[in-house]
Amino acid sequence: MKFRNIIVEIATLSTIIVGLNDRSTAIPLFARKYNTTCFTCHTAEPLLNDFGRRFQAAGYQLPGTGSDPQTVFDQTTFPIALLTQPMISHRETTERLMNTTTTNTSFSGIEVGLFSSGSLGANFSYFTELPVAISHGETSIEINDIHILYTDVLHDGSGNLNFRFGKMRLFIPFIPNTLLSNADPLVYGYRALGVTRTAANDLNFADPTFGVSAFGMLPQVLDGLRWEIGATGGNKSDIDLKSAHAFFASLNQTMYLDNAPLRIGAIYYGGSQDVYDTTITAHPWTNKVSRAGIDAEISDPWTKRVNVFGEYLIALDANTNNAGTSHRMNGGFIGINVIIAPERFYFYGRYDYMSAHETGDIQKQIDIGFHYHARPNVVFIAGCTVMSEILPKSVDETTLTLGLGALFGF
Amino acid sequence: MRKINQTIFSIFCVALLPFILLLPERDTKQLKVPSNARVLAQGKAMYHSACASCHGEDGKGDGPVAANLRSQPDDLTNADYDYRSTAAGQLPTDYDLYRTITAGIHNSAMPLFKQMSSDDRWAVVQYVKTLSPKFADSESIPLQVVNYGHPILSSPQSLAKGRKIYIQAKCADCHGENGLGDGPLATKDVDKKGRQIEAMDLTNYSEYKYCHNASDIFRILYTGLSGSHMPSYAATLSEEERWHLANYVWSLQNCDQYRDSK
């Protein structure tokens, strides 16, 4: 085991050193495959631009190339990329009810995301993301994302109908790992609290989940109209669930104001979780969860360098403690991305708000920071997050987090 | 239990792969030769999905992605193409456009579309030409395509001559004494689009665009780069001098000993 850890660490450090070499412009697999820069698809990693969204929707292939692709079997090298984002963070938490302050400075450790994606044949492609974490001498590998896409099902080039299946992230409008901010949007991870203030369900619909979905564009109805429906296995990790299943639907319209994108959309996520918690009852019961939201995103039509986005979400979790109790939540976020210097320097900011009605839990979060691209594949990141949580009579705390880190892609 | 389920699902996905790959593929080679109107419609559809994000719906180079990029997408309406095989000031050939779509432009946001079907690429070429009025009467002006003449192979003698020409032709004003892109004009001047000139570092292959050998450099010395201050040397340098200069410039990536040779 130790030998394997040493090998992985040496490989990671070697790739970082190679990446910092002045002559190197090694960039992850899509850029290598298509002999282009990361900025073809990303405003700044990991934020996708308009072309990147089309690339993603086309099954991780250039638009218009799905019917005659270069498959992974044709390529001389296996398409794989590494992304790592070591961060140093300093955290200070002030708890006003207990009148205590705690500080903590930590290093995130080395976690390397292994990505592989490519074409398997005409209209078939795959995408995988396997995080490899090295912590306290132990190495662990997860399957975060592994799914197959079948694009242009109707074989008419319209993009009306595509499928994907496997473990994957839903196409929610602002997927956390494609935002410049590292802070998770609060509303995506909302969990109703049961009578003991422990989570009564376990849901973060921004996380990858097993399922199948159908999606596509509907230019016959409106140019820029995108739809998706999916059935998923729900999310489950911390609490003991016998089973879970959910339904997802989204509708999204993109328009252009003088070539500046304007998007509006709506999402719905609903399902049930069969919970089996022997501390409450010897019999399983069913939570009903639902999330509905609207979202919008606009770029300024003059400079096209300022992008404002936001989402408002409501949640209703029913029968969370097997006694018919319902919990409601509403909240959302509004954010901004500013291109200060293209392909170099970016600012981001986001404000999150979440209110859980039955418990009175109120959470607020402000996250601001900068991205500086020393090279297309080497990004330095500085961020500051202030998170406030008030739970009546039990929690009143504010956490300030300062982070410095770098993102390397190979 | 959860891990077992996930493992079973992963195995299920992988097991499906052979069946997916055995599905019959569409035979795109059976496409009939379409009429001109159909070609343009086909090209327009491909342009809309693959090109408009950067070049804009009207081809003005102002697509939604353009503001994100340091190197701005070409304005296709003025047909001022950098990468051509034709004389300075002339329009590109159809094959120049086809080649750019196929091979992309290295060190830029223009990816290679070689997986787009050949029919689609030719259709895009035809459609792109409709975006500029300059192509409307292009038939009346015969294109002067680069003539490679009698190529001179690289040698120490050729490189030494090329170095002298490099200095005499004032290449160093922009590209610097040693080709590092740090010449005195490189940071003071702007191009006709108002952008600060970033002269290419000739020692770094990663910075080369549309250039894979000394012949490509010879071609650029003939054509110049329309969107920049890189002029054509077709009138000021002889064919032989251009070959020596092309050999020298190409050698800068690897042959440090020739950089300062007098």
Side-chain angles (χ1 to χ4, degrees), chain B residues 225-246:
Chain B
L225 296 175
S226 299
S228 75
H229 274 208
M230 174 70 192
S232 163
Y233 287 89
T236 51
L237 295 178
S238 69
E239 178 195 311
E240 184 184 337
E241 286 174 322
R242 277 182 275 134
W243 272 116
H244 290 313
L245 182 55

Side-chain angles (χ1 to χ4, degrees), chain A residues 34-365:
Chain A
Y34 296 110
N35 192 26
T36 189
T37 76
C38 307
F39 300 103
T40 302
C41 289
H42 294 280
T43 301
E45 291 91 345
L47 185 66
L48 289 173
N49 64 26
D50 208 63
F51 188 82
R53 288 170 187 247
R54 291 182 190 220
F55 181 86
Q56 187 185 48
Y60 302 101
Q61 296 167 103
L62 291 178
T65 64
S67 61
D68 188 21
Q70 181 190 33
T71 69
V72 289
F73 314 109
D74 303 328
Q75 292 178 241
T76 51
T77 54
F78 187 73
I80 193 161
L82 307 176
L83 283 179
T84 182
Q85 189 175 334
M87 296 284 290
I88 294 173
S89 58
H90 175 76
R91 179 171 295 181
E92 186 172 308
T93 303
T94 304
E95 166 54 74
R96 278 175 287 276
L97 293 179
M98 306 289 288
N99 200 20
T100 59
T101 299
T102 56
T103 59
N104 178 36
T105 301
S106 61
F107 176 62
S108 65
I110 296 176
E111 180 173 308
V112 179
L114 295 177
F115 293 82
S116 180
S117 179
S119 304
L120 299 167
N123 305 107
F124 279 96
S125 55
Y126 75 96
F127 183 90
T128 60
E129 177 193 348
L130 312 171
V132 181
I134 305 166
S135 180
H136 304 296
E138 290 294 317
T139 304
S140 62
I141 300 177
E142 286 180 55
I143 298 175
N144 215 358
D145 193 324
I146 177 166
H147 67 266
I148 290 172
L149 293 110
Y150 177 22
T151 51
D152 194 18
V153 175
L154 303 177
H155 291 307
D156 60 359
S158 66
N160 285 162
L161 181 61
N162 312 277
F163 289 119
R164 58 190 187 125
F165 60 95
K167 189 178 184 187
M168 61 200 179
R169 285 187 172 85
L170 300 170
F171 275 153
I172 55 175
F174 307 109
I175 304 170
N177 71 339
T178 64
L179 297 175
L180 293 184
S181 165
N182 280 321
D184 282 340
L186 295 176
V187 289
Y188 287 166
Y190 165 70
R191 297 190 291 183
L193 298 179
V195 286
T196 57
R197 290 208 181 281
T198 55
N201 67 31
D202 188 9
L203 171 66
N204 186 332
F205 73 102
D207 284 346
T209 176
F210 282 96
V212 58
S213 81
F215 65 97
M217 305 296 291
L218 287 174
Q220 298 90 340
V221 180
L222 271 175
D223 194 26
L225 182 62
R226 185 187 185 284
W227 64 275
E228 178 170 18
I229 54 172
T232 83
N235 290 93
K236 41 191 186 288
S237 59
D238 295 339
I239 59 175
D240 199 356
L241 299 176
K242 282 183 77 72
S243 66
H245 51 271
F247 168 79
F248 172 78
S250 76
L251 207 57
N252 192 279
Q253 172 67 43
T254 302
M255 294 163 282
Y256 295 92
L257 299 175
D258 193 20
N259 275 324
L262 165 65
R263 290 190 185 84
I264 52 172
I267 57 171
Y268 175 78
Y269 180 99
S272 62
Q273 299 179 323
D274 295 325
V275 184
Y276 184 70
D277 187 345
T278 52
T279 61
I280 300 174
T281 169
H283 306 289
W285 77 93
T286 301
N287 286 339
K288 298 282 188 187
V289 298
S290 60
R291 307 282 184 269
I294 52 172
D295 54 85
E297 180 180 7
I298 187 168
S299 297
D300 85 282
W302 301 282
T303 67
K304 299 183 178 70
R305 292 189 178 184
V306 180
N307 163 249
V308 178
F309 60 95
E311 183 165 2
Y312 177 76
L313 202 75
I314 55 174
L316 176 63
D317 290 2
N319 196 30
T320 51
N321 58 357
N322 198 25
T325 309
S326 293
H327 289 82
R328 290 169 296 153
M329 179 280 291
N330 74 310
F333 53 85
I334 184 165
I336 185 169
N337 299 308
V338 182
I339 305 171
I340 299 170
E343 301 186 18
R344 276 276 183 251
F345 201 31
Y346 305 85
F347 167 80
Y348 67 84
R350 205 181 73 224
Y351 172 72
D352 283 59
Y353 175 84
M354 191 193 81
S355 170
H357 295 231
E358 275 65 27
T359 58
D361 187 8
I362 294 175
Q363 294 179 13
K364 298 173 188 172
Q365 179 177 272

Side-chain angles (χ1 to χ4, degrees), chain A residues 22-23 25 33-37 39-40 43 49-51 54 62-65 67-70 73 120-122 124 143 146 148 152 155 165-167 210-211 223 236-237 256 258-259 261 303-305 339 342-344 346, chain B residues 2 6 9-10 13-14 16-17 20-21 23 25-26 28 46 48-54 56-57 62-65 67-71 103 105-117 120 203-206 253:
Chain A
D22 192 47
R23 284 290 296 267
T25 52
K33 179 176 178 182
Y34 296 110
N35 192 26
T36 189
T37 76
F39 300 103
T40 302
T43 301
N49 64 26
D50 208 63
F51 188 82
R54 291 182 190 220
L62 291 178
T65 64
S67 61
D68 188 21
Q70 181 190 33
F73 314 109
L120 299 167
F124 279 96
I143 298 175
I146 177 166
I148 290 172
D152 194 18
H155 291 307
F165 60 95
K167 189 178 184 187
F210 282 96
D223 194 26
K236 41 191 186 288
S237 59
Y256 295 92
D258 193 20
N259 275 324
T303 67
K304 299 183 178 70
R305 292 189 178 184
I339 305 171
E343 301 186 18
R344 276 276 183 251
Y346 305 85
Chain B
R2 197 182 78 246
Q6 290 184 352
F9 196 91
S10 301
C13 290
V14 172
L16 272 177
L17 277 178
I20 289 166
L21 296 174
L23 283 174
E25 294 185 9
R26 245 186 342 152
T28 54
M46 296 310 295
H48 177 75
S49 67
C51 315
S53 291
C54 293
E57 284 295 335
D62 60 351
V65 176
N68 306 345
L69 305 171
R70 271 199 297 174
S71 178
I105 297 175
H106 180 66
N107 190 31
S108 81
M110 174 71 191
L112 56 86
F113 281 92
K114 68 179 180 184
Q115 270 82 51
M116 186 184 278
S117 75
D120 284 340
T203 67
N204 185 353
Y205 176 68
S206 295
Q253 299 165 66

Side-chain angles (χ1 to χ4, degrees), chain B residues 99-177:
Chain B
R99 180 181 151 169
T100 302
I101 295 167
T102 304
I105 297 175
H106 180 66
N107 190 31
S108 81
M110 174 71 191
L112 56 86
F113 281 92
K114 68 179 180 184
Q115 270 82 51
M116 186 184 278
S117 75
S118 181
D119 286 345
D120 284 340
R121 276 176 277 159
W122 281 116
V124 171
V125 168
Q126 295 307 321
Y127 178 71
V128 161
K129 287 168 66 180
T130 67
L131 296 173
S132 171
K134 290 183 182 175
F135 283 100
D137 58 349
S138 60
E139 302 289 319
S140 60
I141 306 168
L143 297 177
Q144 296 168 10
V145 179
V146 59
N147 179 0
Y148 291 92
H150 304 285
I152 296 171
L153 295 178
S154 185
S155 66
Q157 293 78 15
S158 173
L159 298 179
K161 287 178 184 172
R163 170 69 190 178
K164 280 184 184 169
I165 298 163
Y166 182 85
I167 299 298
Q168 287 165 2
K170 298 189 176 178
C171 304
D173 283 0
C174 292
H175 294 288
E177 278 287 305

